[in-house]
């Protein structure tokens, strides 16, 4: 793997003269360990893992993903905060403290077979706006806490998987998914879709 890490401070991937600013036949792992450290992928910058099955993993409390990233077939992109319990807010960037915020535009710049957004421990995930990363074949939301909607939040995607340790409440607004898989260790599951979907699994047990 191409591994980049920092114990403190922020990190930035600049848009250079080459088309792919980090380009590898292996995986890419970027880790910022500092509290509230920001990983910035500037507009025009691109991360690429070119060989099938290799992945991109980014771990930082905050991210500004104005650039793009891609993996070859069978690869995955994983985004998660570093701090245990750091909240995750999807669909907008209102500037909440101690929160990993990812807008739909940022997620839509990711081309991969498997897009995963996961909490560090008990990190609640909130869908607060439109979440429709069409360039990812499947979308997974995973946390040992809860998954819920707020405001106008809804998911539009061909394949949604939710793995939670608490309540999954995605029925405030109508989602639009092709297939759905939900598992939780505790709490109720509520989901509403605009036109119907295929259930892959509704079960229990967070791995």
């Amino acid at each position: 793997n191409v591994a980049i890490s920092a114990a403190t401070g922020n990190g930035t991937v600049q848009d250079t003269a080459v088309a792919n600013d980090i380009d590898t036949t292996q995986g890419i792992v970027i880790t910022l360990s500092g509290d509230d450290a920001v990983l910035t992928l500037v507009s025009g910058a691109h991360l690429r893992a070119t060989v099938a099955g290799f992945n991109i993993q980014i771990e930082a409390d905050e991210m500004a993903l104005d650039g793009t990233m891609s993996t070859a077939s069978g690869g995955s992109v994983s985004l998660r905060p570093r701090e245990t319990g750091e909240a995750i807010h999807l669909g907008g960037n209102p500037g909440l403290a101690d929160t990993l915020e990812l807008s739909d535009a940022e997620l839509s710049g990711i081309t991969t077979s498997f897009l995963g957004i996961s909490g560090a421990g008990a990190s609640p995930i909130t869908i607060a706006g439109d979440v429709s990363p069409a360039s990812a074949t499947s979308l997974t939301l995973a946390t040992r806490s809860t998954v819920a909607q707020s405001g106008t939040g809804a998911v539009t995607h061909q394949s949604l998987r939710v793995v939670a340790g608490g309540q999954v409440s995605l029925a405030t607004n109508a989602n639009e998914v092709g297939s759905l898989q939900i598992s939780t260790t505790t709490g109720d599951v509520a989901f509403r879709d605009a036109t119907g979907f295929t259930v892959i699994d509704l079960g229990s047990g967070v791995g």
Side-chain angles (χ1 to χ4, degrees):
N1 288 336
V2 173
I4 302 169
S5 64
T8 60
N10 302 324
T12 301
V13 179
Q14 298 284 1
D15 178 20
T16 64
V18 298
N20 302 297
D21 302 282
I22 299 180
D23 195 19
T24 178
T25 56
Q26 301 183 50
I28 300 170
V29 179
I30 301 175
T31 305
L32 301 184
S33 299
D35 185 31
D36 293 329
V38 183
L39 186 282
T40 299
L41 183 64
V42 304
S43 179
H46 185 71
L47 310 182
R48 185 174 72 159
T50 62
V51 175
F54 282 94
N55 310 316
I56 298 174
Q57 176 182 316
I58 300 177
E59 196 170 305
D61 283 349
E62 298 182 25
M63 301 179 196
L65 304 179
D66 295 322
T68 56
M69 59 186 86
S70 64
T71 65
S73 177
S76 68
V77 173
S78 173
L79 309 175
R80 61 178 292 169
R82 180 70 174 175
E83 182 179 354
T84 300
E86 181 102 350
I88 299 172
H89 190 279
L90 304 178
N93 295 89
L96 300 175
D98 297 318
T99 303
L100 172 57
E101 298 174 322
L102 296 166
S103 70
D104 185 51
E106 290 175 300
L107 297 177
S108 295
I110 300 171
T111 301
T112 188
S113 295
F114 306 98
L115 173 58
I117 302 165
S118 61
S123 298
I125 297 177
T126 301
I127 310 299
D130 178 49
V131 175
S132 55
S135 295
T137 304
S138 70
L139 172 64
T140 296
L141 307 177
T143 178
R144 292 189 177 276
S145 184
T146 58
V147 179
Q149 293 171 317
S150 71
T152 60
V155 177
T156 300
H157 203 270
Q158 61 183 344
S159 176
L160 174 64
R161 178 174 182 252
V162 180
V163 182
Q167 185 179 53
V168 177
S169 180
L170 296 175
T172 302
N173 305 310
N175 304 281
E176 184 69 82
V177 303
S179 62
L180 176 67
Q181 178 179 4
I182 298 178
S183 62
T184 179
T185 53
T186 60
D188 297 330
V189 172
F191 186 87
R192 181 159 65 101
D193 195 90
T195 59
F197 54 90
T198 299
V199 175
I200 298 175
D201 181 48
L202 294 175
S204 62
V206 177

PDB file of all heavy atoms in Angstrom, residues 4-39:
ATOM      1  N   ILE A   4       0.134   6.986   4.042  1.00  0.00           N
ATOM      2  CA  ILE A   4       0.485   8.341   4.436  1.00  0.00           C
ATOM      3  C   ILE A   4      -0.170   8.611   5.783  1.00  0.00           C
ATOM      4  O   ILE A   4      -1.383   8.413   5.931  1.00  0.00           O
ATOM      5  CB  ILE A   4      -0.002   9.369   3.395  1.00  0.00           C
ATOM      6  CG1 ILE A   4       0.601   9.065   2.017  1.00  0.00           C
ATOM      7  CG2 ILE A   4       0.342  10.787   3.829  1.00  0.00           C
ATOM      8  CD1 ILE A   4      -0.025   9.863   0.897  1.00  0.00           C
ATOM      9  N   SER A   5       0.614   9.060   6.766  1.00  0.00           N
ATOM     10  CA  SER A   5       0.033   9.286   8.084  1.00  0.00           C
ATOM     11  C   SER A   5       0.660  10.500   8.745  1.00  0.00           C
ATOM     12  O   SER A   5       1.788  10.898   8.428  1.00  0.00           O
ATOM     13  CB  SER A   5       0.208   8.054   8.974  1.00  0.00           C
ATOM     14  OG  SER A   5       1.578   7.802   9.217  1.00  0.00           O
ATOM     15  N   ALA A   6      -0.078  11.089   9.683  1.00  0.00           N
ATOM     16  CA  ALA A   6       0.418  12.208  10.474  1.00  0.00           C
ATOM     17  C   ALA A   6      -0.140  12.089  11.883  1.00  0.00           C
ATOM     18  O   ALA A   6      -1.349  11.858  12.051  1.00  0.00           O
ATOM     19  CB  ALA A   6       0.013  13.536   9.854  1.00  0.00           C
ATOM     20  N   ALA A   7       0.722  12.223  12.891  1.00  0.00           N
ATOM     21  CA  ALA A   7       0.285  12.128  14.276  1.00  0.00           C
ATOM     22  C   ALA A   7      -0.471  13.366  14.710  1.00  0.00           C
ATOM     23  O   ALA A   7      -1.378  13.296  15.550  1.00  0.00           O
ATOM     24  CB  ALA A   7       1.490  11.899  15.188  1.00  0.00           C
ATOM     25  N   THR A   8      -0.114  14.533  14.147  1.00  0.00           N
ATOM     26  CA  THR A   8      -0.788  15.787  14.462  1.00  0.00           C
ATOM     27  C   THR A   8      -0.946  16.604  13.179  1.00  0.00           C
ATOM     28  O   THR A   8      -0.254  16.375  12.193  1.00  0.00           O
ATOM     29  CB  THR A   8       0.017  16.629  15.477  1.00  0.00           C
ATOM     30  OG1 THR A   8       1.305  16.932  14.911  1.00  0.00           O
ATOM     31  CG2 THR A   8       0.210  15.865  16.777  1.00  0.00           C
ATOM     32  N   GLY A   9      -1.844  17.578  13.224  1.00  0.00           N
ATOM     33  CA  GLY A   9      -1.997  18.499  12.108  1.00  0.00           C
ATOM     34  C   GLY A   9      -2.863  17.972  10.977  1.00  0.00           C
ATOM     35  O   GLY A   9      -3.301  16.821  10.983  1.00  0.00           O
ATOM     36  N   ASN A  10      -3.091  18.847  10.014  1.00  0.00           N
ATOM     37  CA  ASN A  10      -3.941  18.542   8.872  1.00  0.00           C
ATOM     38  C   ASN A  10      -3.130  17.959   7.719  1.00  0.00           C
ATOM     39  O   ASN A  10      -1.897  17.951   7.757  1.00  0.00           O
ATOM     40  CB  ASN A  10      -4.654  19.812   8.404  1.00  0.00           C
ATOM     41  CG  ASN A  10      -5.499  20.437   9.492  1.00  0.00           C
ATOM     42  OD1 ASN A  10      -6.105  19.733  10.304  1.00  0.00           O
ATOM     43  ND2 ASN A  10      -5.557  21.763   9.528  1.00  0.00           N
ATOM     44  N   GLY A  11      -3.817  17.488   6.691  1.00  0.00           N
ATOM     45  CA  GLY A  11      -3.151  16.958   5.511  1.00  0.00           C
ATOM     46  C   GLY A  11      -3.861  17.412   4.252  1.00  0.00           C
ATOM     47  O   GLY A  11      -5.086  17.556   4.241  1.00  0.00           O
ATOM     48  N   THR A  12      -3.098  17.651   3.180  1.00  0.00           N
ATOM     49  CA  THR A  12      -3.678  18.123   1.924  1.00  0.00           C
ATOM     50  C   THR A  12      -3.087  17.356   0.745  1.00  0.00           C
ATOM     51  O   THR A  12      -1.874  17.179   0.665  1.00  0.00           O
ATOM     52  CB  THR A  12      -3.408  19.626   1.722  1.00  0.00           C
ATOM     53  OG1 THR A  12      -3.972  20.360   2.808  1.00  0.00           O
ATOM     54  CG2 THR A  12      -4.019  20.119   0.415  1.00  0.00           C
ATOM     55  N   VAL A  13      -3.951  16.907  -0.156  1.00  0.00           N
ATOM     56  CA  VAL A  13      -3.523  16.346  -1.435  1.00  0.00           C
ATOM     57  C   VAL A  13      -3.778  17.409  -2.484  1.00  0.00           C
ATOM     58  O   VAL A  13      -4.929  17.781  -2.758  1.00  0.00           O
ATOM     59  CB  VAL A  13      -4.279  15.051  -1.781  1.00  0.00           C
ATOM     60  CG1 VAL A  13      -3.809  14.519  -3.134  1.00  0.00           C
ATOM     61  CG2 VAL A  13      -4.080  13.996  -0.698  1.00  0.00           C
ATOM     62  N   GLN A  14      -2.710  17.935  -3.077  1.00  0.00           N
ATOM     63  CA  GLN A  14      -2.809  19.016  -4.040  1.00  0.00           C
ATOM     64  C   GLN A  14      -3.090  18.489  -5.452  1.00  0.00           C
ATOM     65  O   GLN A  14      -2.812  17.333  -5.774  1.00  0.00           O
ATOM     66  CB  GLN A  14      -1.498  19.823  -4.060  1.00  0.00           C
ATOM     67  CG  GLN A  14      -1.156  20.499  -2.752  1.00  0.00           C
ATOM     68  CD  GLN A  14      -1.990  21.741  -2.485  1.00  0.00           C
ATOM     69  OE1 GLN A  14      -2.864  22.095  -3.281  1.00  0.00           O
ATOM     70  NE2 GLN A  14      -1.732  22.409  -1.374  1.00  0.00           N
ATOM     71  N   ASP A  15      -3.625  19.360  -6.280  1.00  0.00           N
ATOM     72  CA  ASP A  15      -3.798  19.072  -7.697  1.00  0.00           C
ATOM     73  C   ASP A  15      -2.487  19.407  -8.405  1.00  0.00           C
ATOM     74  O   ASP A  15      -2.110  20.573  -8.518  1.00  0.00           O
ATOM     75  CB  ASP A  15      -4.942  19.919  -8.262  1.00  0.00           C
ATOM     76  CG  ASP A  15      -5.155  19.702  -9.751  1.00  0.00           C
ATOM     77  OD1 ASP A  15      -4.704  18.654 -10.258  1.00  0.00           O
ATOM     78  OD2 ASP A  15      -5.749  20.581 -10.389  1.00  0.00           O
ATOM     79  N   THR A  16      -1.776  18.386  -8.850  1.00  0.00           N
ATOM     80  CA  THR A  16      -0.478  18.579  -9.499  1.00  0.00           C
ATOM     81  C   THR A  16      -0.631  18.557 -11.018  1.00  0.00           C
ATOM     82  O   THR A  16      -1.739  18.484 -11.552  1.00  0.00           O
ATOM     83  CB  THR A  16       0.501  17.482  -9.060  1.00  0.00           C
ATOM     84  OG1 THR A  16       0.017  16.206  -9.513  1.00  0.00           O
ATOM     85  CG2 THR A  16       0.634  17.448  -7.544  1.00  0.00           C
ATOM     86  N   ALA A  17       0.492  18.581 -11.717  1.00  0.00           N
ATOM     87  CA  ALA A  17       0.467  18.602 -13.181  1.00  0.00           C
ATOM     88  C   ALA A  17       0.023  17.274 -13.783  1.00  0.00           C
ATOM     89  O   ALA A  17      -0.393  17.220 -14.951  1.00  0.00           O
ATOM     90  CB  ALA A  17       1.852  18.974 -13.713  1.00  0.00           C
ATOM     91  N   VAL A  18       0.121  16.181 -13.010  1.00  0.00           N
ATOM     92  CA  VAL A  18      -0.274  14.871 -13.535  1.00  0.00           C
ATOM     93  C   VAL A  18      -1.768  14.655 -13.335  1.00  0.00           C
ATOM     94  O   VAL A  18      -2.398  15.273 -12.470  1.00  0.00           O
ATOM     95  CB  VAL A  18       0.526  13.742 -12.859  1.00  0.00           C
ATOM     96  CG1 VAL A  18       2.009  13.899 -13.141  1.00  0.00           C
ATOM     97  CG2 VAL A  18       0.258  13.703 -11.356  1.00  0.00           C
ATOM     98  N   ALA A  19      -2.359  13.753 -14.118  1.00  0.00           N
ATOM     99  CA  ALA A  19      -3.802  13.521 -14.058  1.00  0.00           C
ATOM    100  C   ALA A  19      -4.221  12.870 -12.749  1.00  0.00           C
ATOM    101  O   ALA A  19      -5.276  13.194 -12.189  1.00  0.00           O
ATOM    102  CB  ALA A  19      -4.243  12.661 -15.235  1.00  0.00           C
ATOM    103  N   ASN A  20      -3.392  11.942 -12.249  1.00  0.00           N
ATOM    104  CA  ASN A  20      -3.699  11.215 -11.016  1.00  0.00           C
ATOM    105  C   ASN A  20      -2.624  11.548  -9.991  1.00  0.00           C
ATOM    106  O   ASN A  20      -1.472  11.151 -10.128  1.00  0.00           O
ATOM    107  CB  ASN A  20      -3.759   9.715 -11.286  1.00  0.00           C
ATOM    108  CG  ASN A  20      -4.797   9.375 -12.338  1.00  0.00           C
ATOM    109  OD1 ASN A  20      -5.979   9.596 -12.157  1.00  0.00           O
ATOM    110  ND2 ASN A  20      -4.343   8.859 -13.476  1.00  0.00           N
ATOM    111  N   ASP A  21      -3.004  12.268  -8.955  1.00  0.00           N
ATOM    112  CA  ASP A  21      -2.015  12.840  -8.040  1.00  0.00           C
ATOM    113  C   ASP A  21      -1.433  11.805  -7.075  1.00  0.00           C
ATOM    114  O   ASP A  21      -0.291  11.931  -6.654  1.00  0.00           O
ATOM    115  CB  ASP A  21      -2.660  14.005  -7.301  1.00  0.00           C
ATOM    116  CG  ASP A  21      -3.157  15.048  -8.287  1.00  0.00           C
ATOM    117  OD1 ASP A  21      -2.329  15.814  -8.803  1.00  0.00           O
ATOM    118  OD2 ASP A  21      -4.372  15.058  -8.579  1.00  0.00           O
ATOM    119  N   ILE A  22      -2.201  10.802  -6.717  1.00  0.00           N
ATOM    120  CA  ILE A  22      -1.669   9.597  -6.085  1.00  0.00           C
ATOM    121  C   ILE A  22      -2.183   8.433  -6.922  1.00  0.00           C
ATOM    122  O   ILE A  22      -3.387   8.192  -6.990  1.00  0.00           O
ATOM    123  CB  ILE A  22      -2.103   9.445  -4.616  1.00  0.00           C
ATOM    124  CG1 ILE A  22      -1.603  10.624  -3.782  1.00  0.00           C
ATOM    125  CG2 ILE A  22      -1.560   8.138  -4.037  1.00  0.00           C
ATOM    126  CD1 ILE A  22      -1.999  10.556  -2.316  1.00  0.00           C
ATOM    127  N   ASP A  23      -1.279   7.732  -7.585  1.00  0.00           N
ATOM    128  CA  ASP A  23      -1.637   6.711  -8.566  1.00  0.00           C
ATOM    129  C   ASP A  23      -0.827   5.459  -8.250  1.00  0.00           C
ATOM    130  O   ASP A  23       0.401   5.486  -8.284  1.00  0.00           O
ATOM    131  CB  ASP A  23      -1.318   7.229  -9.960  1.00  0.00           C
ATOM    132  CG  ASP A  23      -1.985   6.414 -11.056  1.00  0.00           C
ATOM    133  OD1 ASP A  23      -2.957   5.700 -10.757  1.00  0.00           O
ATOM    134  OD2 ASP A  23      -1.535   6.504 -12.208  1.00  0.00           O
ATOM    135  N   THR A  24      -1.513   4.358  -7.934  1.00  0.00           N
ATOM    136  CA  THR A  24      -0.787   3.177  -7.488  1.00  0.00           C
ATOM    137  C   THR A  24      -1.452   1.895  -7.969  1.00  0.00           C
ATOM    138  O   THR A  24      -2.667   1.859  -8.195  1.00  0.00           O
ATOM    139  CB  THR A  24      -0.686   3.159  -5.947  1.00  0.00           C
ATOM    140  OG1 THR A  24      -0.007   1.965  -5.528  1.00  0.00           O
ATOM    141  CG2 THR A  24      -2.051   3.210  -5.288  1.00  0.00           C
ATOM    142  N   THR A  25      -0.641   0.851  -8.111  1.00  0.00           N
ATOM    143  CA  THR A  25      -1.166  -0.477  -8.429  1.00  0.00           C
ATOM    144  C   THR A  25      -1.513  -1.245  -7.158  1.00  0.00           C
ATOM    145  O   THR A  25      -1.869  -2.418  -7.218  1.00  0.00           O
ATOM    146  CB  THR A  25      -0.129  -1.278  -9.236  1.00  0.00           C
ATOM    147  OG1 THR A  25       1.092  -1.342  -8.491  1.00  0.00           O
ATOM    148  CG2 THR A  25       0.128  -0.621 -10.579  1.00  0.00           C
ATOM    149  N   GLN A  26      -1.394  -0.589  -6.014  1.00  0.00           N
ATOM    150  CA  GLN A  26      -1.770  -1.196  -4.740  1.00  0.00           C
ATOM    151  C   GLN A  26      -2.884  -0.352  -4.101  1.00  0.00           C
ATOM    152  O   GLN A  26      -3.643   0.302  -4.797  1.00  0.00           O
ATOM    153  CB  GLN A  26      -0.543  -1.295  -3.842  1.00  0.00           C
ATOM    154  CG  GLN A  26       0.583  -2.127  -4.441  1.00  0.00           C
ATOM    155  CD  GLN A  26       1.752  -2.266  -3.518  1.00  0.00           C
ATOM    156  OE1 GLN A  26       1.628  -2.608  -2.350  1.00  0.00           O
ATOM    157  NE2 GLN A  26       2.941  -1.966  -4.035  1.00  0.00           N
ATOM    158  N   GLY A  27      -2.977  -0.380  -2.784  1.00  0.00           N
ATOM    159  CA  GLY A  27      -3.991   0.396  -2.098  1.00  0.00           C
ATOM    160  C   GLY A  27      -3.431   1.721  -1.603  1.00  0.00           C
ATOM    161  O   GLY A  27      -2.214   1.958  -1.636  1.00  0.00           O
ATOM    162  N   ILE A  28      -4.323   2.581  -1.145  1.00  0.00           N
ATOM    163  CA  ILE A  28      -3.955   3.882  -0.588  1.00  0.00           C
ATOM    164  C   ILE A  28      -4.558   3.989   0.812  1.00  0.00           C
ATOM    165  O   ILE A  28      -5.771   3.791   0.980  1.00  0.00           O
ATOM    166  CB  ILE A  28      -4.470   5.042  -1.465  1.00  0.00           C
ATOM    167  CG1 ILE A  28      -3.880   4.954  -2.876  1.00  0.00           C
ATOM    168  CG2 ILE A  28      -4.140   6.389  -0.824  1.00  0.00           C
ATOM    169  CD1 ILE A  28      -4.523   5.920  -3.857  1.00  0.00           C
ATOM    170  N   VAL A  29      -3.716   4.294   1.799  1.00  0.00           N
ATOM    171  CA  VAL A  29      -4.188   4.463   3.176  1.00  0.00           C
ATOM    172  C   VAL A  29      -3.697   5.817   3.686  1.00  0.00           C
ATOM    173  O   VAL A  29      -2.496   6.071   3.740  1.00  0.00           O
ATOM    174  CB  VAL A  29      -3.664   3.342   4.102  1.00  0.00           C
ATOM    175  CG1 VAL A  29      -4.157   3.568   5.531  1.00  0.00           C
ATOM    176  CG2 VAL A  29      -4.109   1.975   3.598  1.00  0.00           C
ATOM    177  N   ILE A  30      -4.631   6.686   4.045  1.00  0.00           N
ATOM    178  CA  ILE A  30      -4.298   7.995   4.597  1.00  0.00           C
ATOM    179  C   ILE A  30      -4.896   8.095   5.991  1.00  0.00           C
ATOM    180  O   ILE A  30      -6.113   7.928   6.158  1.00  0.00           O
ATOM    181  CB  ILE A  30      -4.823   9.135   3.705  1.00  0.00           C
ATOM    182  CG1 ILE A  30      -4.225   9.028   2.296  1.00  0.00           C
ATOM    183  CG2 ILE A  30      -4.502  10.492   4.328  1.00  0.00           C
ATOM    184  CD1 ILE A  30      -4.776  10.051   1.320  1.00  0.00           C
ATOM    185  N   THR A  31      -4.039   8.371   6.985  1.00  0.00           N
ATOM    186  CA  THR A  31      -4.485   8.431   8.371  1.00  0.00           C
ATOM    187  C   THR A  31      -3.992   9.710   9.024  1.00  0.00           C
ATOM    188  O   THR A  31      -2.791   9.969   9.065  1.00  0.00           O
ATOM    189  CB  THR A  31      -3.962   7.226   9.174  1.00  0.00           C
ATOM    190  OG1 THR A  31      -4.343   6.010   8.518  1.00  0.00           O
ATOM    191  CG2 THR A  31      -4.511   7.237  10.586  1.00  0.00           C
ATOM    192  N   LEU A  32      -4.931  10.513   9.529  1.00  0.00           N
ATOM    193  CA  LEU A  32      -4.596  11.698  10.311  1.00  0.00           C
ATOM    194  C   LEU A  32      -5.081  11.452  11.740  1.00  0.00           C
ATOM    195  O   LEU A  32      -6.278  11.348  11.984  1.00  0.00           O
ATOM    196  CB  LEU A  32      -5.260  12.949   9.740  1.00  0.00           C
ATOM    197  CG  LEU A  32      -4.922  13.310   8.290  1.00  0.00           C
ATOM    198  CD1 LEU A  32      -5.592  14.623   7.915  1.00  0.00           C
ATOM    199  CD2 LEU A  32      -3.418  13.396   8.070  1.00  0.00           C
ATOM    200  N   SER A  33      -4.144  11.353  12.685  1.00  0.00           N
ATOM    201  CA  SER A  33      -4.480  10.952  14.047  1.00  0.00           C
ATOM    202  C   SER A  33      -4.834  12.110  14.966  1.00  0.00           C
ATOM    203  O   SER A  33      -5.351  11.898  16.061  1.00  0.00           O
ATOM    204  CB  SER A  33      -3.318  10.160  14.658  1.00  0.00           C
ATOM    205  OG  SER A  33      -3.070   8.990  13.912  1.00  0.00           O
ATOM    206  N   GLY A  34      -4.549  13.330  14.559  1.00  0.00           N
ATOM    207  CA  GLY A  34      -4.808  14.478  15.413  1.00  0.00           C
ATOM    208  C   GLY A  34      -6.284  14.743  15.611  1.00  0.00           C
ATOM    209  O   GLY A  34      -7.107  14.501  14.727  1.00  0.00           O
ATOM    210  N   ASP A  35      -6.638  15.258  16.802  1.00  0.00           N
ATOM    211  CA  ASP A  35      -8.026  15.593  17.099  1.00  0.00           C
ATOM    212  C   ASP A  35      -8.512  16.684  16.153  1.00  0.00           C
ATOM    213  O   ASP A  35      -7.880  17.738  16.003  1.00  0.00           O
ATOM    214  CB  ASP A  35      -8.134  16.069  18.556  1.00  0.00           C
ATOM    215  CG  ASP A  35      -9.569  16.327  18.965  1.00  0.00           C
ATOM    216  OD1 ASP A  35     -10.477  15.640  18.443  1.00  0.00           O
ATOM    217  OD2 ASP A  35      -9.789  17.224  19.811  1.00  0.00           O
ATOM    218  N   ASP A  36      -9.630  16.417  15.468  1.00  0.00           N
ATOM    219  CA  ASP A  36     -10.238  17.341  14.515  1.00  0.00           C
ATOM    220  C   ASP A  36      -9.324  17.677  13.329  1.00  0.00           C
ATOM    221  O   ASP A  36      -9.500  18.707  12.667  1.00  0.00           O
ATOM    222  CB  ASP A  36     -10.682  18.635  15.208  1.00  0.00           C
ATOM    223  CG  ASP A  36     -11.824  18.398  16.192  1.00  0.00           C
ATOM    224  OD1 ASP A  36     -12.621  17.477  15.942  1.00  0.00           O
ATOM    225  OD2 ASP A  36     -11.911  19.119  17.190  1.00  0.00           O
ATOM    226  N   ALA A  37      -8.359  16.818  13.038  1.00  0.00           N
ATOM    227  CA  ALA A  37      -7.499  17.014  11.878  1.00  0.00           C
ATOM    228  C   ALA A  37      -8.324  16.913  10.594  1.00  0.00           C
ATOM    229  O   ALA A  37      -9.241  16.098  10.483  1.00  0.00           O
ATOM    230  CB  ALA A  37      -6.377  15.994  11.860  1.00  0.00           C
ATOM    231  N   VAL A  38      -7.986  17.750   9.607  1.00  0.00           N
ATOM    232  CA  VAL A  38      -8.737  17.826   8.352  1.00  0.00           C
ATOM    233  C   VAL A  38      -7.907  17.268   7.200  1.00  0.00           C
ATOM    234  O   VAL A  38      -6.782  17.707   6.973  1.00  0.00           O
ATOM    235  CB  VAL A  38      -9.126  19.286   8.025  1.00  0.00           C
ATOM    236  CG1 VAL A  38      -9.963  19.328   6.748  1.00  0.00           C
ATOM    237  CG2 VAL A  38      -9.881  19.919   9.180  1.00  0.00           C
ATOM    238  N   LEU A  39      -8.488  16.310   6.479  1.00  0.00           N
ATOM    239  CA  LEU A  39      -7.866  15.830   5.241  1.00  0.00           C
ATOM    240  C   LEU A  39      -8.541  16.557   4.078  1.00  0.00           C
ATOM    241  O   LEU A  39      -9.759  16.426   3.870  1.00  0.00           O
ATOM    242  CB  LEU A  39      -8.041  14.322   5.107  1.00  0.00           C
ATOM    243  CG  LEU A  39      -7.338  13.583   3.947  1.00  0.00           C
ATOM    244  CD1 LEU A  39      -8.050  13.754   2.634  1.00  0.00           C
ATOM    245  CD2 LEU A  39      -5.889  14.027   3.806  1.00  0.00           C
TER     246      LEU A  39
END
